[in-house]
Amino acid sequence: ARCDRHHAFDSSKSHSYKSAPNGEKLAIEYLSGKIEGQLGQDTVRLGELAVKDQFFGAAEQIDVPLLDIVEWDGIVGLAYPNKDLERKGIIPIFDQIMKENLVPNDKHFFAYHLGKDGGSLSFGHVDHTKLAP
């Protein structure tokens, strides 16, 4: 199946994992399919950043054919805060990074690069080697 060739999150191996209050579930509908699963909180590590008590979804049902061919193991959602997330008490990861002062106040931005040979994501920093001339 789709998940067999990817590293999957195992909540039983985490001492700090908490299921979402009220058993809240993840359900995202993309143009290419949908993902459903468990919503929970844990420390999410992005390189050297450790974002404590971050909400994330652990996909259990995946109906996105693109995921059959990709090498990466997950998706980092960079949503803006919105009423639906606020109602559920969810702070998007970059807002949580800023709230925890994990990047300096004058560096509240993120940058990403997608290329033929991979991609990258950085918080509070721009990799100028990835910019077009």
Side-chain angles (χ1 to χ4, degrees), residues 3 5 8 14 33 48 51 53 55 62 64 73-75 80 83 98 100-101 106 109 113 118 125-126 128-129:
C3 296
R5 53 184 288 250
S14 172
E48 295 179 9
V51 188
D53 295 321
F55 276 98
I62 302 170
V64 181
D73 295 320
I75 298 170
Y80 287 109
K83 290 180 183 178
M98 291 185 296
E100 291 183 21
N101 295 314
D106 64 339
F109 58 87
H113 164 76
H125 156 106
V126 174
H128 293 278
T129 66

mmCIF file of all heavy atoms in Angstrom, residues 3 5 8 14 33 48 51 53 55 62 64 73-75 80 83 98 100-101 106 109 113 118 125-126 128-129:
data_model
loop_
_atom_site.group_PDB
_atom_site.id
_atom_site.type_symbol
_atom_site.label_atom_id
_atom_site.label_comp_id
_atom_site.label_asym_id
_atom_site.label_seq_id
_atom_site.Cartn_x
_atom_site.Cartn_y
_atom_site.Cartn_z
ATOM 1 N N CYS A 3 1.629 3.526 2.140
ATOM 2 C CA CYS A 3 2.478 3.862 3.296
ATOM 3 C C CYS A 3 3.663 2.919 3.473
ATOM 4 O O CYS A 3 4.597 3.242 4.204
ATOM 5 C CB CYS A 3 1.643 3.880 4.571
ATOM 6 S SG CYS A 3 0.393 5.161 4.558
ATOM 7 N N ARG A 5 6.247 2.133 1.791
ATOM 8 C CA ARG A 5 7.589 2.585 1.432
ATOM 9 C C ARG A 5 7.970 3.915 2.085
ATOM 10 O O ARG A 5 8.948 4.538 1.721
ATOM 11 C CB ARG A 5 7.744 2.653 -0.076
ATOM 12 C CG ARG A 5 6.690 3.463 -0.796
ATOM 13 C CD ARG A 5 6.890 3.378 -2.293
ATOM 14 N NE ARG A 5 8.062 4.130 -2.689
ATOM 15 C CZ ARG A 5 8.012 5.260 -3.379
ATOM 16 N NH1 ARG A 5 6.862 5.745 -3.774
ATOM 17 N NH2 ARG A 5 9.109 5.894 -3.701
ATOM 18 N N ALA A 8 6.574 6.139 8.848
ATOM 19 C CA ALA A 8 5.292 6.560 9.427
ATOM 20 C C ALA A 8 5.483 6.929 10.894
ATOM 21 O O ALA A 8 6.319 6.356 11.592
ATOM 22 C CB ALA A 8 4.269 5.438 9.306
ATOM 23 N N SER A 14 6.355 7.764 21.278
ATOM 24 C CA SER A 14 6.541 9.118 21.777
ATOM 25 C C SER A 14 6.045 9.227 23.217
ATOM 26 O O SER A 14 4.957 8.765 23.532
ATOM 27 C CB SER A 14 5.773 10.121 20.910
ATOM 28 O OG SER A 14 5.814 11.401 21.493
ATOM 29 N N GLY A 33 -7.256 14.120 -4.520
ATOM 30 C CA GLY A 33 -7.745 13.071 -3.635
ATOM 31 C C GLY A 33 -7.930 13.569 -2.222
ATOM 32 O O GLY A 33 -7.966 14.774 -1.974
ATOM 33 N N GLU A 48 16.696 21.958 13.026
ATOM 34 C CA GLU A 48 17.087 22.285 14.396
ATOM 35 C C GLU A 48 15.946 22.840 15.231
ATOM 36 O O GLU A 48 16.072 22.992 16.440
ATOM 37 C CB GLU A 48 18.247 23.280 14.374
ATOM 38 C CG GLU A 48 19.516 22.693 13.763
ATOM 39 C CD GLU A 48 20.662 23.681 13.730
ATOM 40 O OE1 GLU A 48 20.548 24.776 14.331
ATOM 41 O OE2 GLU A 48 21.679 23.354 13.107
ATOM 42 N N VAL A 51 9.253 22.358 17.750
ATOM 43 C CA VAL A 51 8.001 23.067 18.004
ATOM 44 C C VAL A 51 7.160 22.209 18.939
ATOM 45 O O VAL A 51 6.628 21.170 18.541
ATOM 46 C CB VAL A 51 7.254 23.354 16.691
ATOM 47 C CG1 VAL A 51 6.057 24.257 16.942
ATOM 48 C CG2 VAL A 51 8.184 23.966 15.651
ATOM 49 N N ASP A 53 4.185 20.866 21.423
ATOM 50 C CA ASP A 53 2.717 20.788 21.444
ATOM 51 C C ASP A 53 2.071 21.219 20.132
ATOM 52 O O ASP A 53 0.991 21.813 20.126
ATOM 53 C CB ASP A 53 2.147 21.622 22.603
ATOM 54 C CG ASP A 53 2.562 21.061 23.945
ATOM 55 O OD1 ASP A 53 2.585 19.822 24.076
ATOM 56 O OD2 ASP A 53 2.860 21.857 24.862
ATOM 57 N N PHE A 55 -0.008 20.753 16.818
ATOM 58 C CA PHE A 55 -1.021 19.874 16.238
ATOM 59 C C PHE A 55 -0.538 19.401 14.872
ATOM 60 O O PHE A 55 0.083 20.159 14.125
ATOM 61 C CB PHE A 55 -2.351 20.610 16.050
ATOM 62 C CG PHE A 55 -3.198 20.627 17.283
ATOM 63 C CD1 PHE A 55 -3.200 21.726 18.121
ATOM 64 C CD2 PHE A 55 -4.004 19.548 17.600
ATOM 65 C CE1 PHE A 55 -3.981 21.750 19.258
ATOM 66 C CE2 PHE A 55 -4.794 19.558 18.741
ATOM 67 C CZ PHE A 55 -4.777 20.664 19.566
ATOM 68 N N ILE A 62 -5.372 7.235 2.809
ATOM 69 C CA ILE A 62 -4.781 8.137 1.818
ATOM 70 C C ILE A 62 -5.285 7.749 0.437
ATOM 71 O O ILE A 62 -5.071 6.630 -0.020
ATOM 72 C CB ILE A 62 -3.238 8.063 1.860
ATOM 73 C CG1 ILE A 62 -2.739 8.411 3.259
ATOM 74 C CG2 ILE A 62 -2.630 8.976 0.807
ATOM 75 C CD1 ILE A 62 -1.276 8.141 3.477
ATOM 76 N N VAL A 64 -4.568 9.624 -2.561
ATOM 77 C CA VAL A 64 -3.884 10.618 -3.385
ATOM 78 C C VAL A 64 -2.850 9.858 -4.220
ATOM 79 O O VAL A 64 -1.764 9.539 -3.722
ATOM 80 C CB VAL A 64 -3.198 11.709 -2.525
ATOM 81 C CG1 VAL A 64 -2.519 12.739 -3.403
ATOM 82 C CG2 VAL A 64 -4.208 12.377 -1.590
ATOM 83 N N ASP A 73 8.093 11.748 3.111
ATOM 84 C CA ASP A 73 7.227 11.007 4.032
ATOM 85 C C ASP A 73 6.053 11.801 4.589
ATOM 86 O O ASP A 73 5.247 11.252 5.324
ATOM 87 C CB ASP A 73 8.062 10.497 5.214
ATOM 88 C CG ASP A 73 9.100 9.494 4.768
ATOM 89 O OD1 ASP A 73 8.790 8.663 3.903
ATOM 90 O OD2 ASP A 73 10.221 9.552 5.281
ATOM 91 N N GLY A 74 5.966 13.078 4.290
ATOM 92 C CA GLY A 74 4.868 13.857 4.847
ATOM 93 C C GLY A 74 4.755 15.211 4.193
ATOM 94 O O GLY A 74 5.544 15.572 3.325
ATOM 95 N N ILE A 75 3.762 15.938 4.633
ATOM 96 C CA ILE A 75 3.485 17.282 4.102
ATOM 97 C C ILE A 75 3.458 18.248 5.276
ATOM 98 O O ILE A 75 2.808 17.978 6.287
ATOM 99 C CB ILE A 75 2.110 17.307 3.385
ATOM 100 C CG1 ILE A 75 2.123 16.342 2.196
ATOM 101 C CG2 ILE A 75 1.758 18.723 2.954
ATOM 102 C CD1 ILE A 75 0.750 16.129 1.574
ATOM 103 N N TYR A 80 -2.548 29.709 6.860
ATOM 104 C CA TYR A 80 -2.747 30.910 7.668
ATOM 105 C C TYR A 80 -3.759 30.564 8.756
ATOM 106 O O TYR A 80 -4.593 29.674 8.569
ATOM 107 C CB TYR A 80 -3.319 32.050 6.815
ATOM 108 C CG TYR A 80 -2.320 32.654 5.870
ATOM 109 C CD1 TYR A 80 -2.413 32.439 4.507
ATOM 110 C CD2 TYR A 80 -1.292 33.464 6.345
ATOM 111 C CE1 TYR A 80 -1.505 33.003 3.629
ATOM 112 C CE2 TYR A 80 -0.379 34.029 5.482
ATOM 113 C CZ TYR A 80 -0.493 33.794 4.128
ATOM 114 O OH TYR A 80 0.416 34.352 3.263
ATOM 115 N N LYS A 83 -10.730 30.716 10.876
ATOM 116 C CA LYS A 83 -11.781 30.471 11.877
ATOM 117 C C LYS A 83 -11.972 28.989 12.178
ATOM 118 O O LYS A 83 -12.225 28.612 13.319
ATOM 119 C CB LYS A 83 -13.091 31.109 11.420
ATOM 120 C CG LYS A 83 -13.022 32.611 11.467
ATOM 121 C CD LYS A 83 -14.306 33.250 11.013
ATOM 122 C CE LYS A 83 -14.107 34.756 11.040
ATOM 123 N NZ LYS A 83 -15.229 35.501 10.588
ATOM 124 N N MET A 98 6.622 31.344 15.524
ATOM 125 C CA MET A 98 6.765 32.760 15.901
ATOM 126 C C MET A 98 6.376 32.970 17.363
ATOM 127 O O MET A 98 7.064 33.680 18.096
ATOM 128 C CB MET A 98 5.921 33.640 14.976
ATOM 129 C CG MET A 98 6.447 33.682 13.553
ATOM 130 S SD MET A 98 5.557 34.833 12.470
ATOM 131 C CE MET A 98 3.925 34.111 12.416
ATOM 132 N N GLU A 100 6.563 30.942 19.860
ATOM 133 C CA GLU A 100 7.585 30.409 20.743
ATOM 134 C C GLU A 100 8.945 31.103 20.568
ATOM 135 O O GLU A 100 9.926 30.691 21.177
ATOM 136 C CB GLU A 100 7.756 28.902 20.499
ATOM 137 C CG GLU A 100 6.577 28.080 20.944
ATOM 138 C CD GLU A 100 6.807 26.580 20.758
ATOM 139 O OE1 GLU A 100 7.971 26.142 20.669
ATOM 140 O OE2 GLU A 100 5.803 25.849 20.707
ATOM 141 N N ASN A 101 8.986 32.131 19.714
ATOM 142 C CA ASN A 101 10.230 32.870 19.446
ATOM 143 C C ASN A 101 11.355 31.958 18.979
ATOM 144 O O ASN A 101 12.510 32.128 19.370
ATOM 145 C CB ASN A 101 10.672 33.671 20.675
ATOM 146 C CG ASN A 101 9.689 34.755 21.021
ATOM 147 O OD1 ASN A 101 9.238 35.491 20.147
ATOM 148 N ND2 ASN A 101 9.322 34.836 22.280
ATOM 149 N N ASP A 106 12.607 39.873 13.807
ATOM 150 C CA ASP A 106 12.823 40.517 12.507
ATOM 151 C C ASP A 106 12.961 39.485 11.375
ATOM 152 O O ASP A 106 13.253 39.828 10.246
ATOM 153 C CB ASP A 106 14.048 41.428 12.548
ATOM 154 C CG ASP A 106 15.352 40.695 12.805
ATOM 155 O OD1 ASP A 106 15.318 39.563 13.342
ATOM 156 O OD2 ASP A 106 16.416 41.250 12.464
ATOM 157 N N PHE A 109 9.493 35.029 8.629
ATOM 158 C CA PHE A 109 9.161 34.635 7.267
ATOM 159 C C PHE A 109 9.698 33.232 7.032
ATOM 160 O O PHE A 109 10.528 32.728 7.784
ATOM 161 C CB PHE A 109 9.743 35.605 6.232
ATOM 162 C CG PHE A 109 11.232 35.758 6.297
ATOM 163 C CD1 PHE A 109 12.073 34.891 5.614
ATOM 164 C CD2 PHE A 109 11.815 36.780 7.047
ATOM 165 C CE1 PHE A 109 13.448 35.029 5.666
ATOM 166 C CE2 PHE A 109 13.186 36.931 7.114
ATOM 167 C CZ PHE A 109 14.011 36.045 6.419
ATOM 168 N N HIS A 113 11.926 26.097 -1.639
ATOM 169 C CA HIS A 113 12.469 25.879 -2.973
ATOM 170 C C HIS A 113 12.004 24.510 -3.440
ATOM 171 O O HIS A 113 12.107 23.524 -2.700
ATOM 172 C CB HIS A 113 14.002 25.920 -2.926
ATOM 173 C CG HIS A 113 14.642 25.328 -4.139
ATOM 174 N ND1 HIS A 113 14.700 25.981 -5.339
ATOM 175 C CD2 HIS A 113 15.227 24.122 -4.339
ATOM 176 C CE1 HIS A 113 15.302 25.211 -6.229
ATOM 177 N NE2 HIS A 113 15.634 24.079 -5.642
ATOM 178 N N GLY A 118 14.889 17.958 -5.892
ATOM 179 C CA GLY A 118 14.460 18.036 -4.498
ATOM 180 C C GLY A 118 13.985 19.422 -4.134
ATOM 181 O O GLY A 118 13.771 20.272 -4.989
ATOM 182 N N HIS A 125 15.032 32.436 7.350
ATOM 183 C CA HIS A 125 16.285 32.428 6.600
ATOM 184 C C HIS A 125 15.978 32.150 5.131
ATOM 185 O O HIS A 125 15.082 31.375 4.818
ATOM 186 C CB HIS A 125 17.178 31.339 7.198
ATOM 187 C CG HIS A 125 18.222 30.789 6.284
ATOM 188 N ND1 HIS A 125 19.538 31.089 6.416
ATOM 189 C CD2 HIS A 125 18.151 29.936 5.238
ATOM 190 C CE1 HIS A 125 20.237 30.450 5.486
ATOM 191 N NE2 HIS A 125 19.409 29.743 4.769
ATOM 192 N N VAL A 126 16.728 32.779 4.250
ATOM 193 C CA VAL A 126 16.596 32.520 2.819
ATOM 194 C C VAL A 126 17.916 31.955 2.320
ATOM 195 O O VAL A 126 18.977 32.524 2.574
ATOM 196 C CB VAL A 126 16.262 33.815 2.033
ATOM 197 C CG1 VAL A 126 16.273 33.563 0.535
ATOM 198 C CG2 VAL A 126 14.923 34.380 2.464
ATOM 199 N N HIS A 128 20.097 31.882 -0.390
ATOM 200 C CA HIS A 128 20.277 32.668 -1.611
ATOM 201 C C HIS A 128 20.833 31.853 -2.775
ATOM 202 O O HIS A 128 20.716 32.263 -3.925
ATOM 203 C CB HIS A 128 21.160 33.890 -1.331
ATOM 204 C CG HIS A 128 20.488 34.879 -0.432
ATOM 205 N ND1 HIS A 128 19.575 35.801 -0.883
ATOM 206 C CD2 HIS A 128 20.571 35.065 0.907
ATOM 207 C CE1 HIS A 128 19.126 36.523 0.122
ATOM 208 N NE2 HIS A 128 19.714 36.091 1.236
ATOM 209 N N THR A 129 21.402 30.679 -2.493
ATOM 210 C CA THR A 129 21.890 29.834 -3.584
ATOM 211 C C THR A 129 20.733 29.238 -4.378
ATOM 212 O O THR A 129 20.932 28.727 -5.469
ATOM 213 C CB THR A 129 22.791 28.688 -3.059
ATOM 214 O OG1 THR A 129 22.008 27.784 -2.270
ATOM 215 C CG2 THR A 129 23.952 29.237 -2.239
#
